[in-house]
Amino acid sequence: AGSSGLRVVCPARMDMTPVDRNGRFFFLPALGAYVLVCALFFGKFLLPGRFLYGGDFMTFFYPMKQFLRDYLLETGSLPLWNPYLLCGYPFLADIQVSAFYPGGILLYLWSPDQSYAATLARHFLLAATGMFFFAVEMGYSRTASWIAGLIYAFNGFALRNLPVGHLTL
């Protein structure tokens, strides 16, 4: 504090560890609660035969993901060209294909309809957990940080895009 009475606030620390002063992993209860919320929200769509998707997913993303999966499983390589859309187009160059997205690994293990809800649940879980860590780092209590993570993950913009199948948003 200077003579003017102004207080200098340090920026957020970048050395955050997942262990508190007592050596406990402070984030585990919050993570467990987020997993529970995601399981309650997405649970029925994670079961076989239950699907969560809408128009854009059915008309664009599902055929694209199915083509990518089938081509990869049949040839062992990624398709550069998709001959089935219009007169063909450069498939791998389309950013919405997300062939190199690490989170899309479920697509190669399961069918697109099974992996869609699991991928969305994982994204919501990561969003909530990331905001929790950010809010804790900013100095908020764990309760306030948990609520911030919940609000951030399940905000109106994210929920609005679920039923129509906007994967890239």
Side-chain angles (χ1 to χ4, degrees):
S3 60
S4 65
L6 295 175
R7 189 169 58 119
V8 177
V9 179
C10 287
R13 295 175 292 119
M14 297 305 288
D15 63 343
M16 184 174 149
T17 64
V19 180
D20 65 7
R21 282 181 256 158
N22 298 324
R24 294 180 299 219
F25 290 94
F26 70 87
F27 67 92
L28 289 180
L31 181 63
Y34 288 142
V35 167
L36 180 65
V37 169
C38 286
L40 289 173
F41 190 80
F42 291 101
K44 63 183 174 182
F45 301 111
L46 297 173
L47 300 173
R50 302 294 304 259
F51 308 113
L52 169 68
Y53 46 73
D56 286 351
F57 183 80
M58 285 303 296
T59 59
F60 183 72
F61 290 106
Y62 182 86
M64 186 170 42
K65 298 292 185 184
Q66 190 67 45
F67 172 70
L68 174 62
R69 181 177 188 268
D70 291 345
Y71 191 91
L72 183 65
L73 292 177
E74 288 175 16
T75 66
S77 63
L78 293 171
L80 300 176
W81 187 260
N82 182 356
Y84 302 111
L85 186 63
L86 302 171
C87 291
Y89 82 106
F91 185 76
L92 203 55
D94 186 354
I95 196 165
Q96 295 192 70
V97 169
S98 61
F100 299 111
Y101 174 56
I105 191 69
L106 290 178
L107 172 68
Y108 306 121
L109 302 175
W110 300 336
S111 66
D113 50 346
Q114 292 173 320
S115 64
Y116 179 62
T119 300
L120 287 175
R122 188 180 67 238
H123 284 162
F124 275 67
L125 180 64
L126 287 172
T129 305
M131 179 53 83
F132 172 79
F133 278 121
F134 177 71
V136 165
E137 183 65 20
M138 294 302 293
Y140 294 100
S141 70
R142 291 181 189 160
T143 303
S145 299
W146 189 85
I147 293 170
L150 189 67
I151 291 171
Y152 177 73
F154 291 90
N155 66 65
F157 180 76
L159 293 177
R160 177 181 64 95
N161 290 301
L162 281 179
V164 292
H166 292 167
L167 293 175
T168 55
L169 297 177

